[in-house]
Amino acid sequence: MEHLPEMHLQHPATVEEAVKLHAAAPASRYLAGGSDLLVNIRRGIERPDSLVYLNGIAELHTITDGLEQISIGGAVTLRELAESQLLRKPFSAVAQAAGKVAGPSHREYGTLGGNLCLDTRCVFYNQSEWWRAANNYCLKYRGDICHVAPGGKKCFAAFSGDVAPALLLFDAEVELAGPDGRRRIALAALYRNDGMDHLTMTRGELLVAVHVPKIPAPVRTGYAKSRVRGSIDFPLAGVAVRLGLQDEKIADLRIGLTGVSPLPFLVRGLDKFVGRKPDDACLEELREVVRGQAKAMKTTLTPPHYRRRVAGALAQKLAESIF
Amino acid sequence: MAKQHITTTINGEETEYLCEPQETLLDVLRDQVGLTGTKEGCSSGDCGACSVMLDGRLVCSCLVLGVEAEGKTVETIEGMADGDELHPLQQKFLEEAALQCGFCTPGVLIAAKALLDINNDPTETEVRYWLAGNLCRCTGYDKIIRAVMDTAADMRGA
């Protein structure tokens, strides 16, 4: 692995100062946990000339229990998120997802903002410079061919953050700060279906916080993922389920997916399950709906058909076990 | 690039060093402070050989910049024994031969101690999950896991 190249390091004390420092050095990157960014810099797939260090900004480290929403700062660590008392039922899926990111040392440092803004990953991309050079690079960086789908001009690198699909269950919003001030958008609107450019944030924008509306309905949620090693690793497929029952029938059903496409997303077409009993036949049908929308491509060493099947199976199991 | 002056506490001793912004805590510990017990394996956060405690948090020192240690407390493998008296984990690793080449051992010990400090009665699964970020190519892990479990049992009994 290469040494880190020479870089400036800036230490802002406020969000606004961070944005200004970033704007003054257009090739800079925001650095919080660094568990992904520093590795990518070493691999030569990120080449910033300066880093704007976010951990000194107090605002980014707070979790606030508001009347109508829980607000979580972008630099809150994944361990803090996993252990937060505020993220118990019905927000269990968020805490579970954070607790299933990588290993314990990564969760001590990795942040919510970093996990939401994680770069898309692919077996042809997350490699050393010499590996990629020997393979003539790829569409996502420096190359002109996608080795996953050589006939096309689309990049299929998969979004692999665990927390996003869980937050999508709750219509979470993200607060962004940029040169033009602050704005709030739905978390779903943070992403687009393009492995080369999957974030809709404009250059220099910073994820300040996530706002999770409190929900009145009695629902239960959970998160499960499949990975090469059960104790660590990015998701081959990650599934977040939100299920509410009334009179033993499904009244509320949402499923978020990650690891199977360039963006995390909510499964479509689940309305048809509302009003049905969650019996075996119903859950098997649910499994097939999820499998049909988990369009994993050859971005990992594990074959795509396994990841599609396991996404469906995880959704079925979670829905069974949640109540 | 201008070096930054950092003051930190390493294994209980106040320490000062100058470091470039892009130098990692691992670089600083090994090349400047001379604490070479912390090992460099992958430099990508996969192997855990560089595990240290930073303000009581288990981190991979290859993923932390040297400047981030400013005003903080760093604990490395060199600070684990109390003089000539080994930490119970170190003693148990020797007794049960929970190491072969030894390259991963400092990181494994730091990570295992971090676990026992917060949970002195872990299940085998908890130990295995906790040490998932520490790769060992020699032992096959079984002796490491057993040594950690046995240390925890001894410490509870003490």
Side-chain angles (χ1 to χ4, degrees), chain A residues 29 34 63 69-70 102 121 147 149 151 177 239 271 315 319 321:
Chain A
R29 287 296 309 264
I63 303 183
Q69 64 187 19
I70 296 171
R121 297 181 62 83
H147 301 292
V239 182
D271 289 348
S321 64

Side-chain angles (χ1 to χ4, degrees), chain A residues 298-313:
Chain A
K298 209 175 51 184
T299 56
T300 66
L301 292 175
T302 305
H305 73 270
Y306 174 83
R307 289 158 63 206
R308 296 173 195 179
R309 289 180 71 106
V310 84

Side-chain angles (χ1 to χ4, degrees), chain A residues 201-273:
Chain A
M201 300 165 93
T202 56
R203 177 127 201 99
E205 271 191 316
L206 160 66
L207 194 151
V208 176
V210 176
H211 304 287
V212 190
K214 291 187 173 174
I215 44 175
V219 299
R220 292 195 187 178
T221 67
Y223 178 79
K225 71 193 271 194
S226 167
R227 38 188 169 174
V228 174
R229 294 168 290 175
S231 51
I232 199 166
D233 282 326
F234 287 99
L236 297 168
V239 182
V241 172
R242 162 176 166 163
L243 182 62
L245 297 183
Q246 202 165 23
D247 302 329
E248 296 183 358
K249 288 178 180 164
I250 296 173
D252 185 333
L253 177 64
R254 294 185 189 191
I255 294 176
L257 293 185
T258 187
V260 291
S261 76
L263 80 172
F265 63 94
L266 286 176
V267 172
R268 297 165 296 278
L270 297 182
D271 289 348
K272 65 178 179 183
F273 294 99

